[in-house]
Amino acid sequence: MDALDIMSDLDHVIPYFQPIFSADEHRIIGYEILGRYQDSEKVISLGPFFRDRSIPDEFRIEVDNVVLKKAMEKALTLDNDVLLFINRSEELLMNDSGEDLLQLLLKYQEKGISLNRIVLEISNEDPHHQIDHLLNYYRTFGIKIAIDKMKNTSSLLDRIGDLKPDIVKVDLVPLRSMNPPQAFHEILYSLSLLARKIGAALLFKNIEMVYQLQFAWKNGGRYYQGYYLEGPSGQFVPRDSLKNKLKTEFHEFIIYEKRKLEAIVTITDEFQSRLQVILNKTRKYNEYEDLLGALAKDLEGIAFRIYICDEDGFQKSPNLIKMEKGWDIQPEYIQKNWSWRPYFLENIVKMRKEKKGILSDLYHDIETGDATRTFSFPLNGYDYLFIDLSYDFLYKHNQLL
Ligand code: CA
């Protein structure tokens, strides 16, 4: 499609609307406005037109504004709490210091679309600093900011830190393959923690299959968008169109997750009793090393590393580590300090108070790189036992993975 054909036929430039659903209400809470061109027989996305930098800025801005005006006219009929997500490139926004867009939106505020219903989606492709001033200026009018497109994660984290957006959009396309890059899960997990810390909501987009919806729900997604729910359309969809379907599906997710969590509690309890039995029969030992030796026999196939720390995190025993030929002793770990590790002191305090062991979350061991969980256990009034579980054991109890 030639850019000039579009420019000379703006009557056929139209807005499309893709619904965005919320996890807390199971209904449509907003629409992303997308540009389309109505050909004689089909509707064409204007995405490539907007991204084509060889097309003069004025053309792209003009088409952007045509789409937006037509969309706002239609949006006048919506409930007055429905959000409107508007795409703007940072580069084009800076062209006139963002005044055009603001004036257009203010005009529609007079007609009834309050500015706090506007979510401006920006991408983090070429962040530069002046844009932050502009976006903060927009915010004084109530406009919300969303960051879309996570191409480069490290710059995304910077952008999120600088901008403190209201919404972060996360693309689930990498999850389309059944074997997404392993780091994808960890990055998303970090992103969900960061979003929570700064008070931003996560919006997962390109949800095309039910397992992606489940993934989004499980990873702290408050908003969802994608063909699995609704594709873009020239018309607005009734807000409750998927209410029952979503309620049923979320119910399944909840049941599944509760089962998994219950299994983890059961395994934690089993560990607790098992250790008590072992410790009762090895009451007499001179050195912690002897105790660990006795434990290792009973934890064959379960643990790959065992050690003891005091409540400040100083290691009081060597590591006992499982090698191919048997257990090895690593005395060089004595007196190392682990209090800097996430949750370490939190868990110590919890164990001391509840006099019970704790099973950690799933993480990757810093030395072996394997997925593991650690079972920690209060040994006496002052020292704590740490058991790193082997991957084979987790695999056999796959709720732990
Ligand atoms: Ca977008």
Side-chain angles (χ1 to χ4, degrees), residues 32 87 121 148 169 205:
E32 178 173 356
N87 288 286
E121 287 192 18
D148 192 6
K169 289 188 90 164
K205 66 173 191 175

PDB file of all heavy atoms in Angstrom, residues 32 87 121 148 169 205, ligand 1:
ATOM      1  N   GLU A  32      -7.929  -0.479  22.994  1.00  0.00           N
ATOM      2  CA  GLU A  32      -6.782   0.128  22.313  1.00  0.00           C
ATOM      3  C   GLU A  32      -7.246   0.566  20.932  1.00  0.00           C
ATOM      4  O   GLU A  32      -7.878  -0.201  20.205  1.00  0.00           O
ATOM      5  CB  GLU A  32      -5.622  -0.871  22.174  1.00  0.00           C
ATOM      6  CG  GLU A  32      -4.442  -0.243  21.421  1.00  0.00           C
ATOM      7  CD  GLU A  32      -3.183  -1.117  21.377  1.00  0.00           C
ATOM      8  OE1 GLU A  32      -3.177  -2.194  22.001  1.00  0.00           O
ATOM      9  OE2 GLU A  32      -2.227  -0.702  20.708  1.00  0.00           O
ATOM     10  N   ASN A  87      -1.961   4.923  20.841  1.00  0.00           N
ATOM     11  CA  ASN A  87      -0.553   4.705  20.495  1.00  0.00           C
ATOM     12  C   ASN A  87       0.065   5.977  19.937  1.00  0.00           C
ATOM     13  O   ASN A  87      -0.502   6.606  19.053  1.00  0.00           O
ATOM     14  CB  ASN A  87      -0.438   3.626  19.422  1.00  0.00           C
ATOM     15  CG  ASN A  87      -0.741   2.250  19.976  1.00  0.00           C
ATOM     16  OD1 ASN A  87       0.068   1.680  20.698  1.00  0.00           O
ATOM     17  ND2 ASN A  87      -1.919   1.728  19.670  1.00  0.00           N
ATOM     18  N   GLU A 121      -0.003   5.141  25.117  1.00  0.00           N
ATOM     19  CA  GLU A 121       0.963   4.039  25.011  1.00  0.00           C
ATOM     20  C   GLU A 121       2.198   4.527  24.298  1.00  0.00           C
ATOM     21  O   GLU A 121       2.136   4.955  23.155  1.00  0.00           O
ATOM     22  CB  GLU A 121       0.384   2.890  24.174  1.00  0.00           C
ATOM     23  CG  GLU A 121      -0.676   2.115  24.882  1.00  0.00           C
ATOM     24  CD  GLU A 121      -1.013   0.814  24.136  1.00  0.00           C
ATOM     25  OE1 GLU A 121      -0.213   0.372  23.289  1.00  0.00           O
ATOM     26  OE2 GLU A 121      -2.085   0.275  24.408  1.00  0.00           O
ATOM     27  N   ASP A 148       4.804   0.221  26.230  1.00  0.00           N
ATOM     28  CA  ASP A 148       4.516  -0.943  25.401  1.00  0.00           C
ATOM     29  C   ASP A 148       5.823  -1.415  24.777  1.00  0.00           C
ATOM     30  O   ASP A 148       6.774  -0.637  24.697  1.00  0.00           O
ATOM     31  CB  ASP A 148       3.528  -0.518  24.307  1.00  0.00           C
ATOM     32  CG  ASP A 148       2.934  -1.713  23.583  1.00  0.00           C
ATOM     33  OD1 ASP A 148       3.199  -2.856  23.989  1.00  0.00           O
ATOM     34  OD2 ASP A 148       2.199  -1.492  22.607  1.00  0.00           O
ATOM     35  N   LYS A 169       2.855  -2.806  29.445  1.00  0.00           N
ATOM     36  CA  LYS A 169       2.322  -3.838  28.550  1.00  0.00           C
ATOM     37  C   LYS A 169       3.395  -4.887  28.290  1.00  0.00           C
ATOM     38  O   LYS A 169       4.528  -4.550  27.978  1.00  0.00           O
ATOM     39  CB  LYS A 169       1.863  -3.212  27.223  1.00  0.00           C
ATOM     40  CG  LYS A 169       0.605  -2.373  27.377  1.00  0.00           C
ATOM     41  CD  LYS A 169       0.057  -1.914  26.035  1.00  0.00           C
ATOM     42  CE  LYS A 169      -0.928  -2.898  25.472  1.00  0.00           C
ATOM     43  NZ  LYS A 169      -1.752  -2.295  24.371  1.00  0.00           N
ATOM     44  N   LYS A 205      -0.451  -8.670  26.564  1.00  0.00           N
ATOM     45  CA  LYS A 205      -1.089  -8.587  25.248  1.00  0.00           C
ATOM     46  C   LYS A 205      -0.678  -9.780  24.377  1.00  0.00           C
ATOM     47  O   LYS A 205       0.220 -10.543  24.738  1.00  0.00           O
ATOM     48  CB  LYS A 205      -0.728  -7.277  24.566  1.00  0.00           C
ATOM     49  CG  LYS A 205       0.741  -7.135  24.215  1.00  0.00           C
ATOM     50  CD  LYS A 205       0.944  -5.867  23.399  1.00  0.00           C
ATOM     51  CE  LYS A 205       2.319  -5.807  22.786  1.00  0.00           C
ATOM     52  NZ  LYS A 205       2.514  -4.658  21.912  1.00  0.00           N
TER      53      LYS A 205
HETATM   54 CA    CA B   1       0.201  -0.610  21.383  1.00  0.00          CA
END
